[in-house]
Amino acid sequence: MIRKTMNTREKGAQKEQQVCAYLLSEGVEILERNFRAGQGEIDVIGRDGSYLVFFEVKYRAGAGRGSAAEAVGSAKQRKICQVADYYRLRHQCSEDTPIRFDVVAIDGERLRWIKNAYDYVGR
């Protein structure tokens, strides 16, 4: 039997691959994918110029559940920031290293890279 549709995890992996290819074409150096710590995960970590960037990738096939960018709410932002803190500690990043939190939102076939999508949210 041939399966015609992808499950959510497969679709997410496909979209993350698409985003990584796009970011590479834009000059971003991909450092890690799917970095996990505790109960959180950062989809993509990269370097864009002097910035260490933590990327959240969100996909929505249609507008029924709102836009992809809207799916990165305050709780998700806080969790990403906590995981980013752990990443920076584990990799001995300097306090002077500029960081940024970006969202790559895919709505249907439209991909938008939202630089500096939100500020650091402390614990």
Side-chain angles (χ1 to χ4, degrees), residues 8-65:
T8 304
R9 182 171 289 162
E10 291 170 330
K11 182 61 103 173
Q14 179 191 51
K15 293 302 177 184
E16 282 181 18
Q17 185 62 39
Q18 176 187 352
V19 165
C20 284
Y22 170 77
L23 292 172
L24 286 167
S25 77
E26 293 293 315
V28 174
E29 176 188 1
I30 304 297
L31 302 175
E32 295 215 29
R33 289 181 60 183
N34 305 113
F35 179 80
R36 296 180 197 282
Q39 298 299 313
E41 176 187 26
I42 297 175
D43 294 327
V44 180
I45 300 171
R47 188 159 298 280
D48 183 27
S50 63
Y51 282 88
L52 178 62
V53 186
F54 301 94
F55 294 93
E56 178 66 11
V57 177
K58 282 296 178 191
Y59 168 72
R60 292 286 184 261
R65 293 177 31 206

Side-chain angles (χ1 to χ4, degrees), residues 4-5 8 20 34 36-37 41 43 63 70 75 84 87 100 103 114 117:
K4 294 184 181 182
T5 59
T8 304
C20 284
N34 305 113
R36 296 180 197 282
E41 176 187 26
D43 294 327
E70 292 171 340
Y87 178 89
R100 203 172 67 213
V103 172
I114 306 165

